[in-house]
Amino acid sequence: EAQVTQNPRYLITVTGKKLTVTCSQNMNHEYMSWYRQDPGLGLRQIYYSMNVEVTDKGDVPEGYKVSRKEKRNFPLILESPSPNQTSLYFCASSSTGGGGYTFGSGTRLTVV
Amino acid sequence: AQSVTQLDSQVPVFEEAPVELRCNYSSSVSVYLFWYVQYPNQGLQLLLKYLSGSTLVKGINGFEAEFNKSQTSFHLRKPSVHISDTAEYFCAVMAKRGAQKLVFGQGTRLTINP
């Protein structure tokens, strides 16, 4: 089944403790992206990647890092999480040509 | 840059009534247009998309949307809603050239009452 897999689904952590949210897709898509969803703000792009070793900032990149060492994986790294990063995070992937993104099931992160 | 405005944050309707969720966008370049649905505690699912050609596009679950270039709108419609359509709906745009960046509206919460 074609899908984007994120882990974990739920995570509670403390301020300053580094964490990684994993994302993997099995569709051989070139594009991958991370979004955060907050009430009243819709979804905002954090980072995106156009292919292996090619990444760029989205609209809200502060406090986040990404890497794209393999085509299928695009982990999101929070080096020093803060409470304002409490949010619902989505990973998504897309092929070229306007096919639209396929989204993962989401990771609900709480930073206390 | 692109921006998307969903004109209603909440839309309550009765079951079997028609519904329209409104979406306007702004862009200086040609765009693709999308509607996504998010059911409670789930990820986003693509409802339909407009890439080119006929301005009326049909999607899953009986939804359709009409692209109006002059009004820069892409409103979503369903002639008769069901309780199971209760969800949040997001309109999004993506520039046809350049980075494949989806820009979302703020979302419209559709509530179906029996």
Side-chain angles (χ1 to χ4, degrees):
Chain A
E1 179 188 354
Q3 60 185 357
V4 176
T5 303
Q6 290 178 235
N7 280 297
R9 287 293 308 275
Y10 301 92
L11 179 59
I12 301 174
T13 190
V14 296
T15 298
K17 185 177 181 181
K18 180 179 178 180
L19 67 90
T20 299
V21 183
T22 64
C23 174
S24 179
Q25 50 97 359
N26 63 0
M27 296 166 280
N28 201 36
H29 284 165
E30 293 81 9
Y31 291 89
M32 297 188 74
S33 191
W34 277 101
Y35 288 84
R36 61 177 287 173
Q37 182 181 11
D38 301 289
L41 297 177
L43 285 90
R44 295 176 293 167
Q45 191 183 55
I46 303 170
Y47 269 95
Y48 66 94
S49 169
M50 291 168 280
N51 216 321
V52 175
E53 302 291 3
V54 182
T55 63
D56 205 351
K57 297 176 181 178
D59 298 315
V60 287
E62 295 77 18
Y64 304 95
K65 284 177 57 178
V66 293
S67 68
R68 187 97 180 268
K69 294 182 169 51
E70 305 166 281
K71 197 171 187 179
R72 63 182 290 126
N73 295 324
F74 190 45
L76 179 69
I77 303 157
L78 284 71
E79 295 268 2
S80 183
S82 63
N84 64 11
Q85 293 177 297
T86 292
S87 187
L88 180 58
Y89 291 86
F90 288 102
C91 180
S93 73
S94 172
S95 60
T96 56
Y101 274 85
T102 300
F103 282 79
S105 299
T107 296
R108 187 168 293 281
L109 172 65
T110 302
V111 184
V112 298
Chain B
Q2 292 78 47
S3 67
V4 177
T5 302
Q6 291 183 241
L7 296 157
D8 306 291
S9 59
Q10 297 187 64
V11 173
V13 296
F14 288 106
E15 195 171 14
E16 297 184 7
V19 70
E20 178 180 80
L21 306 184
R22 298 179 294 167
C23 172
N24 288 344
Y25 70 93
S26 173
S27 177
S28 57
V29 299
S30 294
V31 294
Y32 300 123
L33 295 147
F34 305 86
W35 275 98
Y36 283 85
V37 59
Q38 184 180 30
Y39 298 106
N41 299 313
Q42 294 188 28
L44 279 80
Q45 181 181 2
L46 182 64
L47 262 183
L48 49 79
K49 60 187 176 185
Y50 173 78
L51 303 183
S52 65
S54 172
T55 58
L56 182 65
V57 293
K58 294 187 184 299
I60 61 172
N61 300 340
F63 283 93
E64 63 181 33
E66 185 152 23
F67 170 55
N68 187 317
K69 188 174 182 180
S70 62
Q71 297 187 5
T72 60
S73 67
F74 190 53
H75 301 334
L76 180 70
R77 302 187 185 100
K78 187 170 182 177
S80 176
V81 296
H82 188 266
I83 291 283
S84 59
D85 293 322
T86 295
E88 188 143 23
Y89 292 79
F90 292 94
C91 181
V93 301
M94 178 193 298
K96 288 187 177 181
R97 295 186 181 276
Q100 299 256 296
K101 177 182 177 180
L102 264 180
V103 176
F104 285 89
Q106 300 90 333
T108 297
R109 185 169 299 276
L110 177 63
T111 303
I112 312 300
N113 298 305

